[in-house]
Amino acid sequence: MEKIEKIYEGKAKTLYTTSDPDLIVQHFKDEATAFDGKKKGTIEQKGVLNNKISTRIFKYLESKGVKTHFVEMLNDREMLVKKLRIIPVEVVVRNIVAGSLSKRLAIEEGAVLKEPVLELFYKSDPLGDPMINRCHAMVFGFATAEELDQMEATALKVNKILSAFFDERGIILVDYKLEFGVHKGEVLLGDEITPDGCRLWDKQTHEKMDKDRFRRDLGKVEEAYQEVLKKVMS
Ligand code: UDP
């Protein structure tokens, strides 16, 4: 499937139309940003690694009955996906306290949550993706009650599937962000599932294997992503 026209360029990905109006090409870049774009850099080979990691995870989720936008991997940096009307609500799923939750409630990073915690954020670059709740999402028309129900149910299902998947491979799935969109009237999981948007810790050492290595200047960022790819392919 050939790329025709660039329709969106984001921080880590570029999207292109194809000859099929229902399908688009998602191209993964090496650029990395953090702290609402205030920190910028490049992680060598990140685009290739994330394309492969996300492909593996989307295929695995599909095999377990989760409907995603994934169609096929096209080459090292590109996958073909179904065109979505993106729902502007990000769903964060947390199994362990880290990042903004740790700061917001002053709870030590690493505390194990007795149930997964779901959080909603309004997808808006100018506002820095503020946290919202179901009422905000519905009243301001970001998503319908039915869409939110489906997104939350899918997020919890994905959490069960991926927590076990990573655990079997020696990795703790700490937290991650999911995005959804509507394709032909159906809510599908979209975007990507990669170490850019997931916190992944080594089960034995609790060493970080995700974008926190870039955010916090911990070094060995590419190596960590390589290790994640190796483990998810096993
Ligand atoms: N996350 C993301 N994109 C965002 C915000 C968060 O991919 O715009 C991911 C992040 O990588 C982490 C999880 O969602 O795995 C929870 O992030 P958190 O709210 O703790 O924010 P952060 O500490 O990254 O600012």
Side-chain angles (χ1 to χ4, degrees):
M1 187 71 67
E2 291 295 309
K3 302 193 288 264
I4 295 182
E5 190 194 349
K6 189 195 282 189
I7 44 170
Y8 171 79
E9 177 143 21
K11 289 164 251 173
K13 292 189 296 293
T14 309
L15 304 179
Y16 298 89
T17 57
T18 67
S19 54
D20 185 335
D22 287 330
L23 300 176
I24 59 172
V25 171
Q26 179 159 270
H27 176 104
F28 289 80
K29 306 192 288 184
D30 290 346
E31 277 86 39
T33 60
F35 311 119
D36 287 329
K38 287 194 263 300
K39 182 181 169 92
K40 286 194 175 73
T42 300
I43 301 170
E44 288 297 320
Q45 292 301 306
K46 175 168 81 75
V48 175
L49 296 164
N50 278 355
N51 188 31
K52 292 180 179 170
I53 292 167
S54 210
T55 291
R56 167 74 171 126
I57 292 178
F58 279 139
K59 280 187 178 170
Y60 187 74
L61 288 173
E62 288 277 355
S63 79
K64 299 282 180 189
V66 177
K67 290 184 173 173
T68 79
H69 70 157
F70 179 79
V71 178
E72 61 175 340
M73 189 170 125
L74 296 172
N75 55 53
D76 265 7
R77 285 183 181 272
E78 290 171 342
M79 60 168 65
L80 189 65
V81 297
K82 292 176 181 161
K83 187 168 185 183
L84 302 178
R85 172 179 61 76
I86 288 290
I87 297 170
V89 177
E90 300 183 343
V91 181
V92 166
V93 185
R94 302 179 181 276
N95 296 303
I96 299 208
V97 175
S100 69
L101 176 61
S102 163
K103 287 202 197 80
R104 195 183 322 125
L105 299 182
I107 300 173
E108 202 185 343
E109 210 169 63
V112 178
L113 297 162
K114 65 174 193 273
E115 296 285 338
V117 167
L118 296 189
E119 294 174 350
L120 305 180
F121 294 85
Y122 175 44
K123 221 172 125 59
S124 163
D125 281 340
L127 299 178
D129 296 350
M131 194 176 187
I132 56 169
N133 63 26
R134 272 183 76 98
C135 285
H136 298 123
M138 287 190 293
V139 169
F140 296 117
F142 305 148
T144 64
E146 294 72 28
E147 285 167 351
L148 291 163
D149 288 346
Q150 284 191 52
M151 289 159 68
E152 289 177 358
T154 304
L156 290 174
K157 179 171 179 179
V158 166
N159 194 46
K160 282 210 174 82
I161 296 168
L162 290 188
S163 293
F165 175 86
F166 280 109
D167 181 71
E168 285 158 16
R169 289 161 179 80
I171 295 175
I172 303 171
L173 180 58
V174 172
D175 61 28
Y176 52 99
K177 185 247 319 174
L178 300 176
E179 292 191 28
F180 295 86
V182 181
H183 178 85
K184 296 185 176 171
E186 233 184 356
V187 175
L188 304 181
L189 181 60
D191 197 43
E192 63 177 80
I193 299 185
T194 68
D196 272 12
C198 301
R199 285 196 170 91
L200 303 168
W201 293 355
D202 182 285
K203 208 161 123 179
Q204 306 300 330
T205 63
H206 282 197
E207 206 176 356
K208 298 183 198 311
M209 306 174 72
D210 55 66
K211 202 164 96 174
D212 271 348
R213 302 202 70 82
F214 168 79
R215 292 188 188 100
R216 302 178 191 186
D217 292 319
L218 301 175
K220 293 206 166 44
V221 189
E222 184 192 340
E223 288 84 345
Y225 281 56
Q226 291 273 12
E227 189 62 20
V228 171
L229 175 62
K230 196 173 109 192
K231 294 208 159 141
V232 300
M233 293 312 290
S234 66

